[in-house]
Amino acid sequence: MLQPIEPVMDPATPPGHPRDLGGPWHSEAACRSDEAGLFFAPSKEPTAARLAREEAAKRVCARCPVMLECREHALLQPEPYGVWGGMTAAERRVVLARRRRREVELQRPAAGIAVAG
Ligand code: SF4
């Protein structure tokens, strides 16, 4: 089971955004009653056991009513370990790298467009 998580409150987040909840979203987490320790790796976990554990954790996440809030929290913090929002730490690193690339591309002036002056 995950430890209680305080919701991320970003002053730039407009009201009504999923992170801008009236109460802590983690109170609805499907993993709150998980006793199997699916979400974080024990030390020296063999690869096959890790893969099986992560897939089991993802199945819990798939029926979690706050999966999107949890995932975004884990991406924004970012949370370096464990399964959050149906994603492993490695999967979150890929998403974050894509987001960073997209941000860089959006800031780059479009090639081949003449600037009027
Ligand atoms: S999405 Fe997964 S890790 Fe996140 S609160 Fe739900 S069950 Fe827990």
Side-chain angles (χ1 to χ4, degrees):
M1 179 173 124
L2 295 179
Q3 296 300 309
I5 303 163
E6 290 303 317
V8 177
M9 297 305 291
D10 178 348
T13 302
H17 187 279
R19 284 186 291 138
D20 186 21
L21 299 173
W25 56 264
H26 58 268
S27 66
E28 298 178 49
C31 59
R32 286 181 65 84
S33 61
D34 175 66
E35 304 293 333
L38 296 177
F39 293 86
F40 291 94
S43 64
K44 299 179 180 176
E45 183 179 40
T47 300
R50 175 179 57 79
L51 294 173
R53 179 185 51 73
E54 289 175 343
E55 287 307 312
K58 288 180 179 185
R59 286 194 293 275
V60 176
C61 294
R63 61 177 173 77
C64 179
V66 293
M67 185 176 78
L68 295 179
E69 291 89 340
C70 174
R71 178 178 294 178
E72 199 58 22
H73 162 85
L75 290 166
L76 289 172
Q77 284 302 301
E79 295 288 353
Y81 307 109
V83 172
W84 293 74
M87 299 180 79
T88 64
E91 291 167 339
R92 293 194 301 276
R93 284 194 294 274
V94 170
V95 169
L96 288 172
R98 281 193 195 128
R99 284 186 179 182
R100 281 192 290 272
R101 276 199 304 275
R102 193 166 57 234
E103 285 172 12
V104 168
E105 288 169 7
L106 288 173
Q107 291 171 359
R108 194 181 310 151
I113 296 179
V115 177

